[in-house]
Amino acid sequence: MEISLALSLSKTGLNRDSAFNFSCSRCLACCRFKKIQLNPYEIARMADNRGISTSEFIARYTTTGGTVLRSNQDGSCVFLNIEGCSVHSDRPLVCRLYPLGRQVDSLGVEIFSQIEFEETCKGVLHENGTIEQYLAEQGAAPFMRAADLYLDLLWRLLDLLNEQELEPSQSETILETVEAVAADNAGEYDLSWIDMDWAVAEYCRLSGISVPKGIDEKMGIHIKAVREWAA
Ligand code: SF4
Ligand code: SF4
């Protein structure tokens, strides 16, 4: 997931020990005119925050098949209100990390980049800390873990599709869908499999097991279900 406006990187190749700290003035300018991409865990956290299912959340608060957070007509995030972020405790990873970006490659190697500030940002950078400390302050750990698990799922689906000899039409459809998600171009495809509550309920029904209550447990079943369904 990334902030997809034309933000340039002012520093890259950073790691968790790199010097970094950031004071945010809470001016809320960064919650406007952004394309916030979401994974199923982030959707589940915000759906839980709103007290609704992931299916309802996807329908009400996302676009492009459930992969992007909806914006209001004035460009503000759908969760921005006069007091700030109305889902703050469950906000997506990209919102927690800003002005840092995080990338993980197919071998699991993690690097961080510092995004060049937008002119409107009133935040101040410091070096009296480390990226590791900043991540802890932002409560980023469960979100990074989930991002890594879903990225790994995406890599595995792509591998699987490359290895398998599916019927051409079936293979093309699945491959196009997975590639579209990877390329942030998923809007025209059926992405019901990214809906955690729907997929977990379906998997548990077919397996004759109870649907767990916790998001972490649901995420484990969700990833298992998608893997099995794709195999
Ligand atoms: S989810 Fe919250 S922090 Fe993220 S862009 Fe929306 S209002 Fe801002
Ligand atoms: S624009 Fe900068 S200072 Fe304003 S809320 Fe966003 S990060 Fe904080």
Side-chain angles (χ1 to χ4, degrees):
M1 192 176 63
E2 60 186 4
I3 295 176
S4 66
L5 276 191
L7 299 176
S8 50
L9 304 177
S10 60
K11 236 189 244 183
T12 190
L14 306 176
N15 60 46
R16 292 185 183 224
D17 295 327
S18 300
F20 179 84
N21 200 354
F22 178 70
S23 304
C24 169
S25 75
R26 298 183 55 77
C27 70
L28 307 177
C30 59
C31 299
R32 299 173 189 278
F33 303 108
K34 297 293 189 304
K35 186 174 180 182
I36 307 289
Q37 290 179 278
L38 303 171
N39 65 38
Y41 176 79
E42 291 169 313
I43 290 172
R45 286 286 300 255
M46 288 187 285
D48 188 56
N49 182 291
R50 300 281 96 175
I52 59 179
S53 70
T54 57
S55 312
E56 191 177 348
F57 186 94
I58 288 168
R60 285 173 60 176
Y61 296 118
T62 73
T63 61
T64 53
T67 59
V68 176
L69 196 53
R70 192 178 289 279
S71 294
N72 297 313
Q73 281 200 329
D74 65 0
S76 60
C77 172
V78 69
F79 290 124
L80 182 62
N81 66 25
I82 196 152
E83 291 167 354
C85 175
S86 60
V87 291
H88 183 76
S89 58
D90 296 291
R91 67 198 185 284
L93 180 60
V94 70
C95 307
R96 290 168 193 269
L97 297 189
Y98 185 84
L100 284 177
R102 176 178 182 262
Q103 295 85 38
V104 178
D105 69 18
S106 58
L107 300 175
V109 177
E110 172 191 74
I111 61 162
F112 291 89
S113 306
Q114 188 189 303
I115 298 164
E116 194 166 291
F117 284 96
E118 293 170 80
E119 285 175 14
T120 47
C121 178
K122 305 285 189 292
V124 181
L125 280 173
H126 312 278
E127 293 207 332
N128 60 339
T130 63
I131 286 180
E132 182 78 63
Q133 289 168 334
Y134 186 72
L135 297 175
E137 286 162 14
Q138 300 303 315
F143 289 84
M144 293 188 293
R145 176 173 173 269
D148 293 349
L149 289 170
Y150 279 108
L151 186 62
D152 182 63
L153 174 65
L154 203 54
W155 287 120
R156 284 174 187 272
L157 290 175
L158 287 168
D159 285 346
L160 194 61
L161 290 163
N162 286 332
E163 287 163 10
Q164 278 187 339
E165 291 186 4
L166 300 175
E167 290 296 315
S169 60
Q170 186 188 4
S171 170
E172 280 164 21
T173 303
I174 299 172
L175 186 56
E176 278 179 2
T177 306
V178 173
E179 285 180 338
V181 172
D184 180 27
N185 183 30
E188 61 192 275
Y189 296 97
D190 174 7
L191 297 178
S192 53
W193 58 272
I194 70 169
D195 179 346
M196 189 188 288
D197 283 343
W198 174 84
V200 169
E202 188 66 4
Y203 185 86
C204 290
R205 183 182 69 79
L206 294 170
S207 307
I209 58 176
S210 322
V211 175
K213 297 228 180 297
I215 294 175
D216 281 356
E217 292 94 330
K218 285 186 188 172
M219 176 169 66
I221 291 181
H222 184 214
I223 289 171
K224 185 170 155 52
V226 174
R227 277 194 192 180
E228 287 182 18
W229 290 340

